[in-house]
Amino acid sequence: MRKTYKYRLYTCERNKHLVESIELASVVWNHFVALTRRYYEIYGEYPGYYALKKHLTKLKQRDKGHWYDLNSQALQNVIERLDQAYQRFFEIDSAGRPGFKKREKYTSFTLTQTGWKLLGGNRVRIQNHNYKFVKSRPIKGEIKTVTIKRDACGYLWICFSVEKEPPTPELPRTGNAVGLDFGLKDFLVTSDGDRIQAPEPLQESLEEVQDLHKKLSRKERGSNNRKEAKRRLAKKYRQIDNQRKDFHFKLARRLFSRYDVVCIEELNVGAMKELWGRKVSDLGFASFVKILEHVAQKEGKEVRKIDRWFPSSQTCSDCSHRYEDLSLEERTWTCEECGSLHDRDLNAARNVLERALSSAEAGVRPSGAAARVARSS
Ligand SMILES: [Zn+2]
């Protein structure tokens, strides 16, 4: 990931060198725009980046000796920009063909490895001249490019594009894995037997929304009352969205502070809605999974998914016997094969874990009760 640090350069006499460089870059841009257009008229195609680059070298050696005034990477960058503009033009319908730019519209040039050097503090050397910039904050990360930019007021800016360092994990490694089963009564049940409910405020808000919807439908179309009711509803929705996100984030972090691998079933929101109704979207399982994956990536942990066709509820997590007639109302059931009494959701969560780990590498072990189940099977 890239991040850009932008600072204003102090105005001084030497800035004219930078302005000249920008102007030279704009001359090169326009030269190559003309060239690609001529080429297209003759051959009916775009010559491509490498042909342009080769041509640039030839031009410098032949009659464009003064182009040497601009750092060779900065020159190359002009062609890269043109090439990118052409790629956009080819790929995106709405993108226009790269065109000529007036002097004042071409505003920057970019250096990569050479042609610049940080001299410590707020000083920088660019193409044999020293400059100072208003260093408002320190630069963190490895600098990949340096761009000099002129704004509409004629001020010059220096932009350092850096490779952002990957986020450092904050949560501890535990070596544990867990399986989850999503539901309505309990938002989720873990294979260790933890039951997590959606927080009260969220549930209350969801009831309020139904109320507000009813009120809205009773208001007269076009009336101020209706507008007000709509505004209230929108506000409530925003509030719910925030509450939900907050709950999801906290839960994801809580899970990954105890486990390195979280195993879930591939979600089928359509089927869940059919089974459980509208409340499924209220709880936002799909967005929870996204957040779970986001936190996992940030913390160097893992979300492992099993295929959605696996009968996690109907399979006995002790002996693998399948109870096909399990109905939705049965919250508990006894396995007729081994006699185990199962809580429906806990049993499913254990199966999800086992299924996910059966393809797992060594080094991750299920924790707690599920560990005993996994080991004994
Ligand atoms: Zn059994």
Side-chain angles (χ1 to χ4, degrees):
M1 265 220 323
R2 288 286 183 93
K3 180 184 164 78
T4 301
Y5 293 89
K6 186 174 174 184
Y7 309 97
R8 216 186 93 197
L9 283 171
Y10 284 102
T11 306
C12 74
E13 173 66 17
R14 289 180 301 283
N15 284 8
K16 68 169 192 271
H17 301 296
L18 300 175
V19 172
E20 281 164 12
S21 290
I22 294 171
E23 284 174 357
L24 180 51
S26 93
V27 168
V28 176
W29 169 275
N30 286 325
H31 185 96
F32 275 89
V33 167
L35 189 121
T36 50
R37 291 193 169 190
R38 262 200 321 277
Y39 192 93
Y40 186 83
E41 273 161 27
I42 301 168
Y43 301 103
E45 61 178 11
Y46 165 66
Y49 173 69
Y50 290 100
L52 296 182
K53 203 171 129 184
K54 249 170 123 177
H55 193 69
L56 173 68
T57 315
K58 219 190 282 170
L59 281 175
K60 276 200 291 187
Q61 289 160 353
R62 231 165 44 195
D63 56 347
K64 302 289 182 195
H66 62 289
W67 285 8
Y68 280 108
D69 289 348
L70 188 59
N71 175 282
S72 69
Q73 288 173 342
L75 279 174
Q76 249 180 55
N77 178 264
V78 175
I79 294 176
E80 274 166 32
R81 288 186 195 183
L82 183 62
D83 183 62
Q84 280 162 12
Y86 265 105
Q87 299 311 331
R88 264 200 305 280
F89 171 57
F90 296 139
E91 283 159 23
I92 305 168
D93 289 339
S94 58
R97 187 173 163 193
F100 295 104
K101 281 186 185 172
K102 282 188 187 147
R103 222 173 229 217
E104 63 271 19
K105 292 276 176 188
Y106 197 94
T107 57
S108 66
F109 71 93
T110 298
L111 302 163
T112 47
Q113 293 102 341
T114 61
W116 65 274
K117 193 178 180 206
L118 279 175
L119 302 171
N122 64 342
R123 290 161 57 243
V124 61
R125 188 168 180 80
I126 298 161
Q127 304 195 110
N128 306 321
H129 298 283
N130 295 353
Y131 303 90
K132 277 186 187 171
F133 57 97
V134 185
K135 196 172 181 183
S136 44
R137 55 186 173 149
I139 303 165
K140 283 183 201 150
E142 193 193 341
I143 298 169
K144 293 291 182 186
T145 66
V146 176
T147 297
I148 303 295
K149 232 181 192 137
R150 185 186 53 206
D151 69 14
C153 306
Y155 288 121
L156 291 176
W157 299 76
I158 185 163
C159 307
F160 299 96
S161 172
V162 304
E163 195 66 52
K164 228 173 125 184
E165 287 173 28
T168 30
E170 291 166 357
L171 301 175
R173 307 294 98 177
T174 63
N176 292 331
V178 72
L180 306 183
D181 181 64
F182 295 114
L184 286 192
K185 193 169 126 310
D186 298 308
F187 179 77
L188 62 82
V189 174
T190 76
S191 53
D192 284 341
D194 292 325
R195 288 167 188 280
I196 287 142
Q197 270 127 33
E200 284 291 325
L202 182 58
Q203 288 179 356
E204 278 168 24
S205 298
L206 292 171
E207 278 162 30
E208 274 177 60
V209 159
Q210 285 178 341
D211 237 43
L212 287 170
H213 263 294
K214 258 184 234 153
K215 276 184 190 150
L216 177 65
S217 66
R218 274 190 245 116
K219 303 281 189 266
E220 210 176 312
R221 277 188 184 281
S223 69
N224 277 339
N225 280 341
R226 190 179 166 88
K227 264 185 219 153
E228 175 60 20
K230 259 193 175 164
R231 200 189 57 81
R232 273 208 200 147
L233 189 61
K235 199 176 152 196
K236 196 79 222 167
Y237 268 122
R238 204 168 46 234
Q239 192 189 337
I240 289 178
D241 213 49
N242 289 338
Q243 283 170 341
R244 192 162 38 205
K245 242 183 233 154
D246 185 60
F247 163 57
H248 288 166
F249 260 107
K250 281 187 179 139
L251 180 55
R253 286 188 67 81
R254 192 166 126 201
L255 285 167
F256 281 119
S257 65
R258 287 181 60 188
Y259 306 102
D260 287 352
V261 182
V262 171
C263 309
I264 57 172
E265 256 172 320
E266 187 86 55
L267 283 190
N268 182 354
V269 176
M272 287 165 99
K273 269 186 191 157
E274 226 165 81
L275 209 60
W276 295 337
R278 204 183 63 88
K279 205 164 171 239
V280 170
S281 11
D282 293 344
L283 290 167
F285 294 108
S287 60
F288 173 66
V289 170
K290 277 204 196 102
I291 287 173
L292 204 59
E293 285 171 331
H294 170 82
V295 173
Q297 205 207 1
K298 199 168 153 248
E299 295 294 336
K301 304 220 173 191
E302 188 189 348
V303 176
R304 199 173 295 173
K305 290 178 182 170
I306 67 164
D307 64 285
R308 62 171 74 148
W309 313 116
F310 176 67
S312 57
S313 297
Q314 300 170 357
T315 305
C316 170
S317 57
D318 282 337
C319 75
S320 300
H321 172 71
R322 188 164 165 197
Y323 173 37
E324 292 193 34
D325 296 329
L326 180 71
S327 73
L328 206 60
E329 289 73 40
E330 285 179 89
R331 303 309 306 167
T332 58
W333 58 283
T334 306
C335 174
E336 57 186 13
E337 197 67 29
C338 71
S340 291
L341 174 66
H342 289 303
D343 170 273
R344 181 199 183 90
D345 304 330
L346 176 58
N347 179 59
R350 285 177 176 173
N351 281 326
V352 167
L353 175 66
E354 247 223 85
R355 176 88 170 176
L357 290 190
S358 60
S359 59
E361 318 86 326
V364 175
R365 62 192 148 80
S367 73
R372 287 192 296 281
V373 174
R375 273 197 296 273
S376 66
S377 58

